[in-house]
Amino acid sequence: MTLVPLLESSEDELARALLLSGRADLPSPAGLQDAALALGLSAPRAKALAAGLAAPHALSAVAPTTATATTLAAPSAAGAAASLGAASLATAGKFLVGGALMSFVAMTTLDHAIGPAATPAVARVAARASTPPSAVPAPLTAPAPARPMVPEPAAREDARPRSTAAKHPRGARSPISAAPPASAEVATSAAPPAAAALSAPAPSASPSASLAAEIRLLDRARAALARGDAEDARLSLEAYAARKPGGVLSQEADLLRVQLKLKLGQRHAAAELARRLIRQYPESTHVDSLRSLAAEP
Amino acid sequence: MGVGLPATVDAPPAESSSHARLQSALTHARPAPNAEPAREHTTRRLAELLRDHYAQVWRMLRRLGVDEACADDAAQEVFIVLSRKLADVRPGSERPFLLGSAVRIAANYRRSWRVRHEVTDEQALAKQRDPGPSAEQLLDNKRLRQALDELLEGWPDDIRTAFVLFELEGLSVPEISQLTETKTGTVASRLRRARELFQIGVKRLRARSATGRQP
């Protein structure tokens, strides 16, 4: 019998939310910088590494938590609903998404398209998502005054009035990732041999290897973006699209695609893609952040 | 495994091990002329490894029970172990090396933590009486993660390791088998046991959060 990871197979939404919270955990850039210095790397190199960690890893939490948010409210998620209430857990998922995503948004265009009322909450969330205990460089938290790091569910609800997650039907589990134009567009000039080579890290074709393969390809794409290697990022995302359309982490892939376009200087195309995803899935919990990505400076 | 910070500039190692060569390459301000490209190569390789694997190593250590205050140090330790053996590690096999070190270093941390916190049985009991996070508190990512860590606490090491590697880090059973030097059948049965424990933990958490729920 082949084991399939619980993240892919479990119907228990509390279990999934717990696992995803583990996956969304991030080290502090300061820790990485210290490690780099201890290994004898130069200060600028160490700093660059830390900066790379701060930006793109904020994205890593996005996709899975969104999946949680959308599925939490599904009728079949009776397990979570029984004791915690589908609505509140859906909000949990949404909040997780908001946290991770907004820290990314804060890096790019915090002020765009997010309602003024929402901004302080968003900034606070960004700070929390990106701040394991040691200090993180200022830019993330700059837009808002320091706030106490306590959960304020009511305030969050106010700040993010479109609590649409609860309305998602089961089928909407990966709303954004289902968009064929996104992957098609990025994968236009697909170079099959290169893509095939990239997908090699998963030696076994068993289902249990698929999550590993997804994680590796997206980690690779993210790392490539962090070091400014757009070509490698593109190939990794193509390989991902080729092997896992609609995988567990495919929303992460979609956001990386938008980010890749930004990296390539295609601000217009990035905004266009973000807008298209919004049009197709107006109910998506990604809408706020996609909107800010869609806002061209 | 005696692990610590690398020797400093003041004390160049005398033996000509790979470690010594590396230390020399890393710390001497003016290496021999032909050492320069080697040094640059080593540094670049380490930078790439940090970039590609640091986050995963750190995350793994946390889930394997290294507390937040120690995780940065432990992650650093994992990479220092690698840097000492870098010359012997084949390019491409650094990841299993790093993850394997992380498993061992996490086990060391857990052991020394237990020694330092031997009287925590009462605290553990108190924790069990604690109603646990309310539904509202579980809205917080951090609380969810705390709940996950509490859930994993006290699991047998080998079962916890298999669970973290498979369910959270996405490694395959053969990879885990290789990393932990265990038969695949054993890994699979550990994973089954881990799922039972996980399900019990989730159930318990659900019950606790129901009692802790605000009216």
Side-chain angles (χ1 to χ4, degrees):
Chain A
M1 187 198 77
T2 314
L3 275 174
V4 179
L6 282 173
L7 265 174
E8 291 180 1
S9 61
S10 177
E11 290 290 317
D12 182 333
E13 298 305 335
L14 178 55
R16 286 173 52 82
L18 285 166
L19 293 170
L20 289 166
S21 77
R23 160 113 179 112
D25 204 2
L26 305 168
S28 73
L32 173 56
Q33 194 168 339
D34 287 350
L37 291 171
L39 289 171
L41 269 64
S42 68
R45 220 167 196 170
K47 210 169 173 181
L49 271 175
L53 178 68
H57 268 84
L59 275 170
S60 70
V62 170
T65 44
T66 310
T68 306
T70 49
T71 48
L72 279 167
S76 62
S83 63
L84 295 168
S88 55
L89 258 185
T91 315
K94 183 168 171 151
F95 172 57
L96 299 180
V97 172
L101 200 52
M102 285 312 160
S103 60
F104 169 64
V105 170
M107 302 288 292
T108 51
T109 50
L110 179 67
D111 300 331
H112 284 292
I114 302 165
T119 306
V122 163
R124 183 174 64 247
V125 165
R128 187 181 313 166
S130 59
T131 316
S134 7
V136 157
L140 278 179
T141 53
R147 300 276 180 141
M149 298 292 236
V150 288
E152 297 170 55
R156 275 201 302 278
E157 284 302 315
D158 292 344
R160 308 173 62 80
R162 271 181 310 284
S163 185
T164 53
K167 291 181 221 146
H168 277 295
R170 182 80 178 171
R173 182 163 177 147
S174 306
I176 292 177
S177 63
S183 34
E185 190 169 320
V186 176
T188 38
S189 61
L198 272 171
S199 61
S204 147
S206 73
S208 67
S210 68
L211 179 63
E214 283 189 58
I215 289 176
R216 275 192 224 173
L217 284 171
L218 293 184
D219 279 352
R220 180 166 175 163
R222 199 175 306 113
L225 281 171
R227 67 175 185 273
D229 187 344
E231 179 61 11
D232 192 24
R234 185 181 67 81
L235 288 173
S236 303
L237 287 169
E238 277 173 16
Y240 180 85
R243 82 174 277 135
K244 284 302 287 184
V248 178
L249 307 178
S250 52
Q251 293 179 23
E252 187 171 337
D254 281 322
L255 281 154
L256 286 168
R257 285 188 187 102
V258 175
Q259 205 194 9
L260 171 63
K261 286 185 184 299
L262 285 173
K263 182 67 94 185
L264 289 168
Q266 304 168 355
R267 304 194 72 84
H268 184 71
E272 184 57 43
L273 174 56
R275 278 197 292 268
R276 192 190 317 142
L277 294 168
I278 293 170
R279 268 200 309 278
Q280 275 175 325
Y281 306 101
E283 301 278 284
S284 163
T285 46
H286 282 310
V287 145
D288 281 350
S289 27
L290 281 169
R291 195 164 287 155
S292 55
L293 289 171
E296 290 174 77
Chain B
M1 198 178 315
V3 189
L5 287 174
T8 59
V9 192
D10 304 325
E15 81 276 18
S16 65
S17 66
S18 61
H19 173 203
R21 282 199 304 277
L22 175 73
Q23 283 308 316
S24 173
L26 287 178
T27 55
H28 281 205
R30 290 189 182 282
N34 62 351
E36 192 54 44
R39 179 195 150 132
E40 173 55 23
H41 178 255
T42 302
T43 311
R44 187 178 301 163
R45 196 169 159 204
L46 286 171
E48 281 168 7
L49 292 169
L50 279 169
R51 182 195 65 208
D52 294 344
H53 306 298
Y54 180 84
Q56 186 178 28
V57 164
W58 186 91
R59 204 168 53 214
M60 234 176 81
L61 289 163
R62 288 284 295 121
R63 298 291 87 74
L64 288 175
V66 177
D67 69 37
E68 201 162 4
C70 301
D72 283 0
D73 288 348
Q76 193 177 116
E77 212 169 298
V78 169
F79 280 88
I80 284 171
V81 169
L82 174 73
S83 79
R84 287 176 179 162
K85 308 211 168 133
L86 197 61
D88 305 324
V89 178
R90 206 162 31 86
S93 56
E94 296 99 338
R95 182 171 177 267
F97 186 98
L98 285 167
L99 301 188
S101 295
V103 167
R104 278 184 293 276
I105 283 171
N108 289 345
Y109 266 85
R110 275 195 307 267
R111 243 189 316 275
S112 68
W113 191 90
R114 273 180 209 135
V115 171
R116 279 181 281 128
H117 295 77
E118 262 194 295
V119 284
T120 52
D121 278 0
E122 280 177 28
Q123 289 170 13
L125 281 174
K127 203 178 262 177
Q128 277 176 16
R129 286 193 295 268
D130 180 354
S134 68
E136 284 77 14
Q137 284 169 329
L138 276 178
L139 301 188
D140 187 330
N141 198 0
K142 206 171 163 185
R143 290 305 296 257
L144 264 173
R145 203 148 48 223
Q146 265 172 17
L148 173 66
D149 287 339
E150 278 173 28
L151 198 157
L152 297 174
E153 216 173 278
W155 284 22
D157 284 0
D158 47 5
I159 290 177
R160 181 176 186 160
T161 300
F163 184 84
V164 168
L165 291 176
F166 184 83
E167 304 288 3
L168 294 172
E169 296 304 331
L171 271 70
S172 68
V173 170
E175 279 176 312
I176 297 169
S177 148
Q178 213 169 3
L179 216 70
T180 55
E181 295 170 351
T182 314
K183 287 180 187 155
T184 53
T186 310
V187 173
S189 72
R190 283 175 185 169
L191 285 171
R192 276 191 290 274
R193 176 70 188 130
R195 285 190 177 184
E196 288 166 16
L197 290 174
F198 184 66
Q199 259 140 29
I200 293 168
V202 171
K203 203 170 157 189
R204 198 172 287 160
L205 176 67
R206 191 172 273 130
R208 281 169 66 205
S209 61
T211 43
R213 190 181 335 195
Q214 311 295 321

